[in-house]
Amino acid sequence: MTFTRRATVAVPVGKVTIGGGRTIVVQSMITEETRNVDACVRQILALHDVGCEIVRITTPTMAEARCLEEIRAKVREAGAEVPLVADVHHQGSPIAVEVAKHVDKVRINPGLFVFRKRVQRTVEYSPQEHAEELAAIEQELVPVIDACKENDTAMRIGVNHGSLAERMLVTHGDTPEGMVESALEYIRICEKHDFRRIIVSLKASRVPIMLAANRLFSSKSDYPLHLGVTEAGDGDYARVKSTAGIGTLLAEGIGDTIRVSLAEDPINEIPVCYDILQALGIRRSKTEFIACPSCGRTKFDLPTVFAKVKSATGHLSGLDIAVMGCIVNGPGEMADADYGYVGQAGGKIALYRKHEVVKNNIPQENGVQELIALLKADGAWIEPS
Ligand code: SF4
């Protein structure tokens, strides 16, 4: 079973296409200082090596922006075609114009792009004030649009719940509606100037807000969405939080590219992305394991046996392998797994192919080797690299 994905327009970002029904793209962001070119190149290549398909780099000032040409040249020299994205923040127009020449996508934040210091205003903006602000945004955005058009560079309109412009806060409150409107008013300016190479993100550190904003946006627009729970933290809870946000939307067919934001080495983000995609059956990058939780009927030390089976067969992508503690319920519970490793009385195990018993009464110490032999006989085995 697969999820029906929301139809979005296809947006090329270098060699990768986001949206338009393409594979959901995994991305991350480096943490090295952008002026430290060689360290950035090393981290980009390391991320690329573990499967990161788009890499983002921060460019807070023009000095960092000017480093991107060299970073890209060195990454390409090393043979990596991974698309690069520049992250632009406060008063970003001149920086975005510069980086658009050197990267495949420019990320701008509507809350900061034309920056107005917050003054805790409570009086609503008049129509004229709105119009003046929009004119100021257009004036700053048009040179970026032109630079993106000239260089075939995409733009991410990256809204963050925590950095909405005060005009949005006064008009819409601290809400998903304010986040969506922040993106839509930038989109309207882009479309007015015939630019549609756009990807949108609506990130929040609170999962319910991130969910609501992305659902609302996807009901109003068909630009592809970059999903992420921002400032998720580290460890197990950050992974759970990211999965709750990203996975929920993907299961609803929303989302075209994902980033798990961890306060850890960005290398750690990539397996989490792939695990979310694998758990949802969207992308398979490794064996899918099924294991019962074990109970009083379990005929072996399930965690130990499961670890051995995973270690021996985890590299086989595209297979479902079940490890079940007893023959009473195990074969039924493992449903449609391709292969089953099931505990029997007397320290033995049985091997299944789908629902068929292939071999009974295998001594437990030979179980993993017998499973590998079965996979080899079926042509399903690949030697680990
Ligand atoms: S499959 Fe058997 S051992 Fe595993 S939880 Fe179910 S009843 Fe217990």
Side-chain angles (χ1 to χ4, degrees), residues 292-295 297-298 325-326 329-330:
C292 77
S294 80
C295 71
R297 281 184 162 151
T298 309
C326 77
N329 288 334

Side-chain angles (χ1 to χ4, degrees), residues 2 34 108 152 248 344 350:
T2 52
T34 309
I108 59 168
D152 290 334
T248 300
Q344 287 182 305

Side-chain angles (χ1 to χ4, degrees), residues 67-274:
C67 294
L68 289 187
E69 184 173 12
E70 191 182 352
I71 290 173
R72 179 158 79 170
K74 290 190 168 178
V75 168
R76 298 291 179 259
E77 261 170 42
E81 291 295 323
V82 59
L84 301 179
V85 183
D87 210 33
V88 173
H89 286 270
H90 296 76
Q91 297 302 117
S93 184
I95 297 169
V97 169
E98 172 64 22
V99 296
K101 299 176 208 157
H102 311 304
V103 293
D104 304 288
K105 181 168 61 169
V106 177
R107 183 270 170 127
I108 59 168
N109 178 341
L112 306 174
F113 185 69
V114 176
F115 186 60
R116 303 277 188 260
K117 200 162 180 275
R118 287 187 191 172
V119 292
Q120 308 298 324
R121 175 171 163 157
T122 50
V123 180
E124 288 207 1
Y125 282 68
S126 68
Q128 189 186 337
E129 284 177 302
H130 275 292
E132 284 168 6
E133 281 292 293
L134 282 171
I137 293 169
E138 184 171 1
Q139 191 181 341
E140 295 294 309
L141 194 56
V142 166
V144 184
I145 292 170
D146 290 342
C148 287
K149 281 186 189 171
E150 271 168 38
N151 295 282
D152 290 334
T153 306
M155 181 190 293
R156 167 152 71 98
I157 299 171
V159 177
N160 270 5
H161 179 234
S163 57
L164 290 180
E166 186 152 61
R167 185 170 51 88
M168 284 297 153
L169 293 174
V170 170
T171 309
H172 298 280
D174 184 10
T175 60
E177 289 75 15
M179 294 171 70
V180 170
E181 184 52 29
S182 295
L184 290 176
E185 66 179 21
Y186 273 65
I187 289 173
R188 287 191 282 267
I189 296 170
C190 289
E191 289 181 338
K192 179 179 165 190
H193 295 273
D194 199 25
F195 181 71
R196 291 177 175 76
R197 210 162 175 157
I198 298 167
I199 292 145
V200 171
S201 64
L202 302 145
K203 296 192 183 182
S205 57
R206 296 177 194 280
V207 171
I209 291 174
M210 174 264 191
L211 293 176
N214 282 281
R215 285 172 181 148
L216 180 62
F217 180 84
S218 67
S219 72
K220 291 173 180 263
S221 172
D222 62 0
Y223 285 106
L225 275 167
H226 163 135
L227 303 182
V229 177
T230 193
E231 291 115 25
D234 66 355
D236 289 347
Y237 189 59
R239 287 158 173 80
V240 170
K241 213 171 161 180
S242 296
T243 305
I246 295 171
T248 300
L249 290 168
L250 290 175
E252 294 172 16
I254 297 170
D256 302 278
T257 177
I258 64 172
R259 188 226 170 165
V260 167
S261 302
L262 298 181
E264 299 177 21
D265 187 329
I267 294 278
N268 297 348
E269 297 175 359
I270 306 306
V272 186
C273 291
Y274 280 111

Side-chain angles (χ1 to χ4, degrees), residues 366-377:
N366 301 340
V368 172
Q369 282 316 312
E370 290 277 356
L371 174 62
I372 292 172
L374 172 59
L375 294 170
K376 284 182 176 170

Side-chain angles (χ1 to χ4, degrees), residues 30-90:
I30 62 167
T31 50
E32 293 288 354
E33 280 190 30
T34 309
R35 295 187 212 194
N36 191 347
V37 169
D38 289 336
C40 289
V41 171
R42 273 196 299 279
Q43 204 176 20
I44 291 166
L45 294 175
L47 275 167
H48 177 57
D49 280 349
V50 295
C52 182
E53 294 159 316
I54 295 182
V55 182
R56 186 156 47 113
I57 307 153
T58 189
T59 50
T61 71
M62 196 58 95
E64 283 84 7
R66 293 196 185 104
C67 294
L68 289 187
E69 184 173 12
E70 191 182 352
I71 290 173
R72 179 158 79 170
K74 290 190 168 178
V75 168
R76 298 291 179 259
E77 261 170 42
E81 291 295 323
V82 59
L84 301 179
V85 183
D87 210 33
V88 173
H89 286 270
H90 296 76

